[in-house]
Amino acid sequence: MSDTPADRLARATPPTLARKVRGLSDRTIAWIFVAPTILLLLAINIFPLIWTIRLSFTNYRANRPNEPVEWVGLRNYERILTDPDIWQTMQATAHFLFWTLVLQVLIGFTLAWLINRKFRGNDLMTTLIVIPMMLSPAVVGNFWTFLYQPQIGLINYAVEFVTGIPASSFTMLGSVTLAPWAIVIVDTWMWTPFVMLICLAGLRSIPDYIYEAAEVDRASKWRQFWTMTVPMVLPFLMLAVLFRGIENFKMFDLVVLLTGGGPGDTTLLSSIELKREAFEKWRTGYSSAYAIILFVTVFGLASIYVKALNKVKER
Amino acid sequence: MSAYSVTEPSKLSKWVAGALVVAYTVITLLPLVWIISTGFKTGPDSISYPPKVLFSPSIEGYVNLFTDRTRATPEQLATMPPPDNFVDEIVQRRGEVVTGPSRFGERFLNSVIIGFGSTALSIFLGTLAAYAFSRFKVPLKDDLLFFILSTRMMPPIAVAIPIFLMYRQLGLSDTHLGMILLYTGVNISLAVWLLKGFIDEIPREYEEAALIDGYTRFQAFRKVVLPQAATGIASTAIFCLIFAWNEYAFAVLLTSGNAQTAPPFIPTIIGVGGQDWPAVAAGATLFLLPVMIFTILLRKHLLRGITFGAVRK
């Protein structure tokens, strides 16, 4: 072995110190390695969360830092839960959540099922289909407002081309009935590939011999699909729904750029309303309470859902 | 494999499936093709009806994206020297003069600085933590891992309020450092979970052999584990980068000028009477391009990255 400067230094240092450095116990190393991450998460996530909880009991306004802050107890929570406008945003969020999940699951699963036929070029198609979900939601949302323009947009033109309804007679983003569907369409366009990828992984995890056995038993294709394919993909599908559900519950960027919550309040999702309260009306205390309610809702729903998911997995 | 298998789909069903998937792909990529092509249209071509599929390409959109211009009177134009580059030529033909560079370049650079800065920090901290979680008995390991994951459930706006107040106090608002720390805080959960999965797959025997050879833990980590985990680290880095690259909510709430990234900027590109669509499309194209390339490079690790390693292909 060569005699490096480090070796010489090691010999020169008192043996106790050298042993200490060399022999850092695994436990110490573990702490040194984990601590920075935990500290950063405490500073960027937990500390702000606790601060939000504290603010939610006050009437603080961030744009007037010099005004005295009053402790208002649970009044913010009470006002939110009895405000009919809030229930309107919850309804808009539920509509968005429900239809995006239904469409993405149906289209995503079908696509995965088709791609799993292993035709030539299926890997290339998978890669191309996946591109939309990797793009910036804000930029995508902004450009879709162009595609939705009544006079010049591609969507209205396509509708006129297919159905004959004149393009200038309807505006997707400006109409109270169409706007909620316009945001559902863009979200589905962007995120169906996500569900598709996870379903594909589920389908590929099913071993061939099961089907071979079923074929020997003369089970019909239909029966094979419902008693084998669907149950075995279900845990994967549920995981996809969990991820999409959490993401769409906090949906902000895509919809802000598409409709900004309008027309009227028809596409005012909870996150957008939260942003208005916090950074436009500057009702910091009130919006903090709102944020906590949303967080608790997501967390609660997700926990219940994960329990159900684990049950399905165990079957 | 045998020549005939009962599970192999028939030729016809393969054909039908292929045709349907190709049809979906064409439809789903149409908006993307439209973005890229709009970037090469002139203003009038971009808003003609019916939409123009065939057009003579122009780089006006890109010129508009990178320059600030004002309208010039014919007299002014007559006194101008003849254009010596293509940018001046295009602009002068429209009766305008260039007054300087637009802010797009600056915003794009901010995206690069913040994206790469937060990625480097996330990977550095994430690799250390992932190694510890993978190899050592960390007290409360499962709880800590779940805690790290749960930080992703919060709506960004919910923590944005106190972070906004905190950054104002610390002088971090609208700074690169502030945004790097923030995106690292958001990305680190992904980095730890993904990297732990990759490191779990490296056999422990390699390190044990190194330890017996007289390496310290640090040396074994650096010389044995890191090279083995290199591909995993690289793909994790790209996922962190893509997230920081695309993020909008924090960027729009916490930055105003100095450290603003491109996503809040692109929708504000205004021309005469509304958005300058060729310029918006040009900006979007430049901004989407790296992500599209990464997606194609990443296709093998895609599933792991988007699901925190919860699903493996």
Side-chain angles (χ1 to χ4, degrees), chain A residues 143-156:
Chain A
F143 202 82
W144 270 80
T145 62
F146 177 60
L147 298 176
Y148 275 140
Q149 299 273 318
Q151 305 290 341
I152 54 174
L154 197 59
I155 304 290
N156 282 38

Side-chain angles (χ1 to χ4, degrees), chain A residues 134 142 151-152 189 250, chain B residues 28 47 49 152 246 275 291:
Chain A
M134 304 298 277
N142 181 227
Q151 305 290 341
I152 54 174
W189 173 77
K250 350 181 265 189
Chain B
T28 206
I47 54 168
Y49 193 87
R152 277 265 168 136
N246 287 339
Q275 284 204 285
V291 178

Side-chain angles (χ1 to χ4, degrees), chain B residues 38-148:
Chain B
T38 302
F40 293 101
K41 287 179 181 175
T42 58
D45 272 357
S46 73
I47 54 168
S48 69
Y49 193 87
K52 272 201 177 173
V53 176
L54 294 173
F55 56 93
S56 51
S58 145
I59 55 159
E60 237 185 81
Y62 287 84
V63 171
N64 286 3
L65 178 68
F66 281 103
T67 57
D68 276 337
R69 303 157 312 280
T70 60
R71 204 147 270 294
T73 58
E75 299 86 62
Q76 269 175 315
L77 276 177
T79 60
M80 298 275 289
D84 60 348
N85 58 48
F86 68 92
V87 172
D88 282 344
E89 207 180 299
I90 290 172
V91 170
Q92 283 190 20
R93 215 185 299 141
R94 287 203 315 248
E96 291 179 337
V97 285
V98 173
T99 56
S102 75
R103 308 201 75 176
F104 180 74
E106 214 178 292
R107 297 290 178 263
F108 199 84
L109 191 64
N110 282 343
S111 279
V112 172
I113 294 171
I114 294 170
F116 281 89
S118 72
T119 301
L121 194 57
S122 312
I123 291 297
F124 176 68
L125 299 179
T127 312
L128 294 182
Y131 179 72
F133 279 124
S134 173
R135 292 297 195 255
F136 300 128
K137 274 202 199 113
V138 180
L140 301 171
K141 185 193 273 186
D142 290 339
D143 294 323
L144 277 179
L145 278 170
F146 179 74
F147 154 71
I148 290 174

Side-chain angles (χ1 to χ4, degrees), chain A residues 118-138:
Chain A
K118 303 182 185 101
F119 54 87
R120 218 144 50 96
N122 62 344
D123 278 346
L124 174 70
M125 288 301 135
T126 314
T127 310
L128 290 176
I129 287 175
V130 158
I131 290 176
M133 72 177 208
M134 304 298 277
L135 308 179
S136 171

Side-chain angles (χ1 to χ4, degrees), chain A residues 70 78 137 150 152 173 217 231 257 259 310:
Chain A
E70 226 178 283
E78 204 185 303
I152 54 174
L173 297 175
D217 290 346
L257 267 301
T259 63
N310 286 336

Side-chain angles (χ1 to χ4, degrees), chain A residues 22 26 29 46 48 52 62 117 127 130 134 136 138 142-143 146 151-152 157 160 167 189 201 212 239 250 284, chain B residues 6 17 28 35 46-47 49-50 128 147 152 158 161-162 168 214 217 246 248 275 277 280 291 299 302-303 311:
Chain A
R22 274 186 70 88
D26 283 1
I29 296 179
I46 300 309
T52 309
R117 317 257 107 184
T127 310
V130 158
M134 304 298 277
S136 171
N142 181 227
F143 202 82
F146 177 60
Q151 305 290 341
I152 54 174
Y157 177 73
E160 177 174 336
W189 173 77
E212 279 159 14
L239 195 69
K250 350 181 265 189
T284 312
Chain B
V6 286
T28 206
I35 294 184
S46 73
I47 54 168
Y49 193 87
L128 294 182
F147 154 71
R152 277 265 168 136
I161 305 162
R168 200 163 63 180
R217 267 282 178 192
N246 287 339
Y248 173 80
Q275 284 204 285
W277 289 112
V280 170
V291 178
R299 60 191 182 280
L302 210 54
L303 201 56
V311 176

